[in-house]
Amino acid sequence: MEKKLKTRSGARQASAASDRAPRVQSAARAMAILVAVAESPHGLRAMEIAKALGLGRQTTYHLLHTLIGCGMLARNPQGLHVLGLQMATLADAFVRQLAAPEHLAPLVRRIAQETGETAYAVAWREGEIVNLVAAAGSNAIHAMTVPQGYHRHAHARATGKLLLAHTTKEIRERYLATHRLDRRTANTLTSRKALEREFERILESGYSTDREEFALGLCCLAVPVGSGPATFAIGISAPAAQFEAKLVGYLKIMRRAVRAG
């Protein structure tokens, strides 16, 4: 009987893994190439792509030829593969689809202006915690703007931790079960137990911080807009050297701006 249960359990797990796996391998590989090129600072050579993705040379060349023919990739004079002009159509549509609710963009700009720090709004989108809109800070030294659409390492970002704390247990468990808790810095929380304690603290205090957990020299503060699973997060990023001294002031400004709408 025990053997039958194990067999059934294994079959269910195999079936679930099969459902998540890409159905068309060549399409999945082509998408992986596009992502690799997009994440590279200056483009990639064919052999760099093959090595990074574990693809055979012939397969890599066939896929690159197809992507170039479709205008999704191009080859520059240095022989590097870069994104093609057709990607602009996708990028434009992506930005439109990610458009933040009308009340969030003015709120983000106001907080950036009053704090002098880079501000942004983040929300759940398709099971990910995504940056919707950002405004650069005006201080002489301020954090770089997180790109629109960024959705990685939520466990290391103040906004990500805040939204994970405020969502339902079911959604939080599903997210944590499918996302690695990578260590970005020595300060990153990488254990479920430590994160659960952090979520409790966030719910008690009403705000979330990231003290050089995502990037060294950078600290972040986030407060909620709304409540429950539909909560948005408004965050600011500031150089670590000035964060602690200004934390109370930042928090007052952000909470006042959220209340004013």
Side-chain angles (χ1 to χ4, degrees):
M1 180 66 176
E2 183 180 353
K3 185 175 181 181
K4 287 182 179 179
L5 288 174
K6 287 182 178 179
T7 302
R8 290 173 185 172
S9 175
R12 284 196 298 270
Q13 292 175 3
S15 176
S18 176
D19 289 342
R20 291 192 300 269
R23 297 302 177 92
V24 182
Q25 193 175 56
S26 59
R29 288 171 171 173
M31 294 304 102
I33 288 175
L34 290 176
V35 171
V37 171
E39 290 181 339
S40 66
H42 307 295
L44 295 171
R45 298 187 185 280
M47 292 311 298
E48 291 175 325
I49 293 171
K51 184 177 179 180
L53 300 180
L55 299 176
R57 185 175 62 177
Q58 198 70 12
T59 298
T60 302
Y61 280 112
H62 280 312
L63 291 170
L64 288 174
H65 180 75
T66 300
L67 290 168
I68 290 172
C70 295
M72 308 306 284
L73 288 181
R75 197 170 177 209
N76 68 16
Q78 290 73 43
L80 298 172
H81 292 86
V82 296
L83 295 180
L85 293 178
Q86 285 294 345
M87 289 299 294
T89 302
L90 295 181
D92 182 59
F94 180 68
V95 169
R96 290 198 310 272
Q97 291 174 14
L98 271 187
E102 291 183 5
H103 70 287
L104 283 184
L107 179 58
V108 169
R109 289 193 294 268
R110 177 179 174 184
I111 289 174
Q113 182 178 20
E114 294 188 14
T115 63
E117 307 296 353
T118 298
Y120 39 91
V122 176
W124 285 98
R125 288 289 187 274
E126 298 181 20
E128 299 288 351
I129 295 175
V130 183
N131 182 40
L132 301 182
V133 61
S138 58
N139 288 341
I141 301 176
H142 62 266
M144 56 183 274
T145 303
V146 179
Q148 188 177 26
Y150 188 87
H151 61 277
R152 296 185 175 182
H153 307 111
H155 69 288
R157 296 185 284 145
T159 49
K161 291 189 295 181
L162 186 139
L163 290 182
L164 284 168
H166 277 269
T167 194
T168 64
K169 182 178 180 180
E170 180 184 5
I171 293 175
R172 181 166 59 249
E173 286 298 318
R174 186 184 307 132
Y175 182 91
L176 293 175
T178 55
H179 291 73
R180 290 174 47 185
L181 303 180
D182 294 327
R183 184 176 295 282
R184 294 275 306 181
T185 75
N187 298 329
T188 308
L189 301 180
T190 57
S191 78
R192 291 285 294 271
K193 186 175 291 187
L195 277 173
E196 291 297 340
R197 289 196 297 267
E198 181 78 347
F199 297 151
E200 291 176 6
R201 189 202 65 76
I202 291 168
L203 292 175
E204 289 174 3
S205 66
Y207 67 91
S208 173
T209 58
D210 148 24
R211 290 176 166 88
E212 299 186 80
E213 295 169 43
F214 180 73
L216 291 176
L218 182 70
C219 291
C220 303
L221 171 67
V223 298
V225 179
S227 60
T231 302
F232 293 95
I234 299 289
I236 63 167
S237 299
Q242 66 195 41
F243 184 77
E244 295 299 337
K246 296 185 175 183
L247 176 58
V248 173
Y250 289 149
L251 192 55
K252 286 181 179 178
I253 290 172
M254 295 173 72
R255 283 175 165 169
R256 185 175 63 240
V258 169
R259 284 196 302 268

